[in-house]
Amino acid sequence: MAMLHKMEAFRKEERRGGKETEVKPDVISYNTVLKAWALSDDVDAAKNAQNILNQMEMDNENDVKPNIRSYNTVISATVRDKTEGSVHMAEQVLLRMVRLYREKRSDVMPDVVSFTTLMNGLAKSNEKDKAKKAQRMLRSLQEIYQNGNVEARPNILTYNTILNACAFSTYSDDTREKALLIGISTFNEIRKCEYVDPDSVTYGTMLKICNLTRRSERSEKRRTIMAQRIFEECCSKGLVNKMVMDGLRKSVPQKVYTKIIGPFVTSGEFKMPTEWNYNVRNRKDKH
């Protein structure tokens, strides 16, 4: 921030002397400072990032306007702020981006990073209806994508973020039941989607969601059947990892878990079959 002020002060001094200098802050300069604030643990990091964004939006002299990276970095800085209302403030940044675009005062529209970052902050928050809100955000993102913004196409991280919001919606039986239904609906949407494929995180999080069922004998049977089906599908795709195994162990009775892994236990040690995780290793090899 201080460097931006120094650059601007130097430029104004040169102008007073009748000179025009090339030393002036540009969008890269601003974005670098925004990134620093987004990664900072300073209590005023989000506030400072938002102030810089405001300055960029109102800067008529230097013609330095925020780009998509500017907005996304401020959204990231804001959701990292753990104070109450931070997710709402981040959402206001996104909505402002949309409003300025519609008013033809900006050519920047939210992309998949904008929404996914906001949804991730929501998933980690204490908001009671976060699963439902995350699902609504997905619908808004899909609408922007369907209207021609190819940068707004949801990816598997977007969908997994909704599942994560569902998995940690544990405030009441009613909240848990609604989150369970949203989680199942989102999972089925992933499976039908033409441009995303489920990954290990998808299956591992779905196994966590199975535990949202009510605590009763009937619900335990429902949970066990659902968890087994999810695990079997994960195995068939070769995407089983530690997260998935932990999720399975916590979502089915011990005797069911033992029966599943029993054939692959030797001398008390479980050795995962190659066909269960071949795709996990292949995906790691690609990076």
Side-chain angles (χ1 to χ4, degrees), residues 56-74:
M56 294 175 74
E57 289 177 337
M58 296 185 294
D59 189 345
N60 296 318
E61 184 177 349
N62 294 324
D63 196 30
V64 178
K65 297 301 180 185
N67 57 21
I68 188 61
R69 179 168 293 184
S70 312
Y71 284 104
N72 287 347
T73 306
V74 174

Side-chain angles (χ1 to χ4, degrees), residues 16-62:
R16 280 195 290 269
K19 301 177 181 179
E20 182 62 39
T21 179
E22 293 298 322
V23 180
K24 61 179 181 179
D26 57 13
V27 69
I28 296 175
S29 308
Y30 279 99
N31 285 349
T32 301
V33 178
L34 287 173
K35 183 67 173 179
W37 281 123
L39 297 175
S40 172
D41 291 324
D42 190 292
V43 293
D44 292 323
K47 179 181 178 181
N48 289 332
Q50 290 177 18
N51 286 340
I52 293 172
L53 182 64
N54 293 339
Q55 180 182 339
M56 294 175 74
E57 289 177 337
M58 296 185 294
D59 189 345
N60 296 318
E61 184 177 349
N62 294 324

Side-chain angles (χ1 to χ4, degrees), residues 76-142:
S76 177
T78 306
V79 297
R80 284 188 79 243
D81 188 347
K82 302 303 181 183
T83 57
E84 186 177 355
S86 60
V87 174
H88 175 72
M89 288 188 288
E91 185 177 13
Q92 294 308 304
V93 175
L94 187 146
L95 292 175
R96 190 166 82 214
M97 200 186 334
V98 175
R99 176 172 55 79
L100 291 174
Y101 178 84
R102 288 175 175 170
E103 293 175 354
K104 302 188 183 303
R105 294 164 57 192
S106 169
D107 60 358
V108 181
M109 270 290 280
D111 62 6
V112 64
V113 176
S114 315
F115 276 89
T116 305
T117 303
L118 179 59
M119 291 160 63
N120 186 48
L122 177 63
K124 293 177 179 178
S125 74
N126 294 322
E127 295 201 28
K128 293 183 178 180
D129 294 325
K130 57 187 179 182
K132 185 176 181 180
K133 290 178 181 178
Q135 188 182 52
R136 281 204 302 261
M137 289 180 186
L138 172 64
R139 298 295 175 246
S140 296
L141 178 62
Q142 290 171 328

